[in-house]
Amino acid sequence: HQKKGIGSAATKMLMEYAFNKMNLHRLEAEAIEYNKASISMLEKFGFVLEGTLREAKYSEGKYWSVYRYGLLRQEYLKHHKD
């Protein structure tokens, strides 16, 4: 089901619910360095790279870094004006 917009639609709905209904201040997300689509989607939605967990995930015979992202309420509101 890749490249059909399902992840983007789900992320958008989650963000709207988290900030508009639950009144949360912050969201966090992680993406493994080889998952360029997830990284691109998070950045498209305004998530900010906050850190890298170097070689924190082992998969298919290799260690991969994990990127930590955060999004604050004020960043969401600025980035997602309706």
Side-chain angles (χ1 to χ4, degrees):
H1 299 296
Q2 294 176 335
K3 300 194 190 263
K4 294 184 180 180
I6 296 169
S8 290
T11 301
K12 184 176 180 182
M13 288 174 54
L14 175 81
M15 291 169 30
E16 290 171 357
Y17 187 79
F19 289 122
N20 297 328
K21 300 292 184 197
M22 295 184 68
N23 199 31
L24 294 181
H25 175 70
R26 169 186 174 81
L27 292 178
E28 297 179 1
E30 291 185 347
I32 301 169
E33 73 176 290
Y34 59 74
N35 193 337
K36 304 301 183 196
S38 289
I39 292 167
S40 177
M41 180 192 67
L42 290 171
E43 292 175 353
K44 175 182 84 171
F45 281 122
F47 280 79
V48 176
L49 180 62
E50 296 182 330
T52 302
L53 303 171
R54 298 175 306 135
E55 296 185 2
K57 167 114 174 120
Y58 186 79
S59 178
E60 298 184 13
K62 183 178 175 185
Y63 285 98
W64 299 90
S65 293
V66 176
Y67 300 133
R68 297 286 311 257
Y69 286 86
L71 180 66
L72 303 178
R73 168 188 288 289
Q74 66 264 25
E75 295 166 338
Y76 168 78
L77 294 174
K78 181 180 178 183
H79 195 266
H80 300 276
K81 295 177 191 171
D82 290 331

